[in-house]
Amino acid sequence: MSQMKLGATLFCYGTEYARFQYDFEECVKQAALAGASGYEIVATQMIPSYPNVSDEFLGLVNDLKRKYGIGPVSYGANNDKGMRTDRNLTDDEMLADAIIDLKSANKLGCKVMRVQYMMSPEAFARLAPYAELFDVRCGIEIHNPETPGSPVMQRYLDVIRQTGSKYLGFVPDFGFLAVHPNRPQWIKALKAGVKEEHLLLAQRLREKGVSQETAVKEVMAAGASAAIMPALAGMWGYVQFHDESALSGLLQELKDILPYSVECHCKYHYLDKDFQEASIPYARIFPVLKDSDFNGYLICEYEDELGCGGTEYTKRMFQMEKRLLDL
């Protein structure tokens, strides 16, 4: 049976942090108050000396661990191959950057590092001995619009199996299991004057699987405001959703890669007062985890598209997790 631990990424408090309402200590404090037993740190966001970890920052992290009882368990790496204006970084350059990230993750005491799929499968395979050296398990993030069954993710799965390394795996982001439109984008569209009938038309077109180009033509022909475009782009982009009939197949894809998963990201965009995520069906997802042998962190990850801050929603997410997981 699964032995899961609950954590949070400090990215949940990104709005408060960016507005200088919270400093690093307050983010850690709020994660502890919400119920986290460990946290993920997005390195480029909150490490002042990135890509390195200064002794001063390490001292702060350790002081806060003693003060609040939680420390960093996961390191969110930044695999950006577009750092140059004239060309993409090569596999050698991407690997070199990832090795620096591994060193920093190790210094902080993290046992997991999230890797983004801008790092090629070939470079990811070469990362294995360095991950073992620094004792940090590396997981390629499976992020919407990709799913575990996507061709690119299957290439990473082949690499993981071929290397046989326990230090390579996945970090599934449960946003890929969304079966309803993104609620914050829907709310913003309505506030911008878009009629709900046009949003519902776009939703039906997405569920039918038509192309984004076709959907644009149809909603505009129906008289939709141009303000619908951000919501429509989201429906076909990084917050896209599936028809509910596809959910069983997607959950099977999740089951197939859980043995290779080093942690999971419990994405949420909007949680009502009854602790229901508007687009991601956690009541169907968590039983899969409970029936598995997954032994790692479930990292709460809030994306604040409404700009309201993550403090309250993160508390709600932990309450929902504890109820559905019987923790």
Side-chain angles (χ1 to χ4, degrees):
M1 294 293 290
S2 176
Q3 297 180 12
M4 293 170 284
K5 297 173 281 291
L6 301 184
T9 173
L10 300 187
F11 184 75
C12 292
Y13 309 106
T15 296
E16 293 94 331
Y17 184 75
R19 291 174 177 167
F20 299 99
Q21 295 168 334
Y22 289 179
D23 58 10
F24 180 76
E25 176 174 351
E26 189 63 25
C27 291
V28 174
K29 176 183 176 180
Q30 290 300 325
L33 289 173
S37 61
Y39 62 83
E40 176 190 80
I41 182 167
V42 178
T44 54
Q45 184 184 44
M46 292 189 179
I47 298 180
S49 54
Y50 178 83
N52 301 303
V53 174
S54 68
D55 291 341
E56 179 183 10
F57 185 73
L58 178 62
L60 173 62
V61 167
N62 288 335
D63 286 345
L64 298 181
K65 187 173 183 178
R66 288 187 288 268
K67 188 172 183 178
Y68 299 112
I70 65 171
V73 296
S74 177
Y75 183 97
N78 183 50
N79 307 108
D80 184 3
K81 66 180 179 182
M83 294 174 66
R84 294 180 57 130
T85 59
D86 57 335
R87 62 172 175 82
N88 286 336
L89 298 189
T90 66
D91 276 1
D92 287 347
E93 290 166 331
M94 294 290 287
L95 180 63
D97 279 352
I99 292 169
I100 295 172
D101 282 326
L102 279 171
K103 180 181 178 182
S104 294
N106 172 270
K107 187 170 182 176
L108 287 170
C110 298
K111 291 299 183 181
V112 167
M113 184 171 88
R114 181 216 62 191
V115 181
Q116 295 164 314
Y117 63 85
M118 281 183 284
M119 171 172 274
S120 72
E122 293 76 20
F124 188 57
R126 294 167 58 193
L127 192 61
Y130 301 99
E132 182 174 357
L133 175 67
F134 287 107
D135 192 25
V136 177
R137 299 178 72 198
C138 296
I140 286 287
E141 184 178 26
I142 304 175
H143 194 288
N144 206 350
E146 304 298 335
T147 76
S150 297
V152 64
M153 292 303 159
Q154 289 296 301
R155 289 176 61 201
Y156 288 107
L157 181 57
D158 289 341
V159 161
I160 293 165
R161 287 171 170 166
Q162 288 165 9
T163 62
S165 174
K166 69 177 183 179
Y167 284 91
L168 299 184
F170 289 112
V171 176
D173 179 310
F174 295 150
F176 82 83
L177 290 158
V179 291
H180 298 292
N182 182 272
R183 185 63 183 165
Q185 290 196 350
W186 193 283
I187 291 171
K188 287 192 289 187
L190 291 173
K191 287 182 177 180
V194 178
K195 294 181 179 179
E196 189 155 30
E197 64 188 83
H198 294 138
L199 288 167
L200 290 168
L201 172 59
Q203 177 180 349
R204 290 193 296 271
L205 292 169
R206 179 68 188 91
E207 290 168 343
K208 288 181 180 178
V210 306
S211 70
Q212 183 175 348
E213 182 180 6
T214 298
V216 168
K217 291 178 180 178
E218 292 205 27
V219 296
M220 296 311 289
S225 163
I228 198 174
M229 289 305 169
L232 193 144
M235 291 184 190
W236 271 259
Y238 286 102
V239 290
Q240 67 177 246
F241 61 97
H242 305 271
D243 185 83
E244 289 197 53
S245 63
L247 183 58
S248 293
L250 292 168
L251 289 172
Q252 183 59 53
E253 290 185 21
L254 175 61
K255 291 178 185 178
D256 292 342
I257 56 92
L258 273 179
Y260 305 100
S261 296
V262 299
E263 74 177 19
C264 296
H265 279 181
C266 295
K267 177 64 59 63
Y268 51 107
H269 300 274
Y270 187 91
L271 283 162
D272 62 26
K273 292 182 180 179
D274 293 324
F275 313 113
Q276 297 293 319
E277 215 294 328
S279 60
I280 303 169
Y282 279 101
R284 295 281 304 277
I285 297 169
F286 283 155
V288 172
L289 294 171
K290 289 174 65 176
D291 292 340
S292 74
D293 293 323
F294 175 71
N295 182 17
Y297 268 91
L298 300 181
I299 299 290
C300 291
E301 186 180 30
Y302 175 59
E303 291 193 359
D304 188 14
E305 295 185 48
L306 290 176
C308 58
T311 305
E312 178 59 30
Y313 281 151
T314 301
K315 291 177 182 177
R316 292 180 187 180
M317 186 64 183
F318 273 98
Q319 291 182 61
M320 184 257 279
E321 285 182 321
K322 290 177 181 177
R323 186 181 75 242
L324 292 179
L325 292 167
D326 298 319
L327 294 176

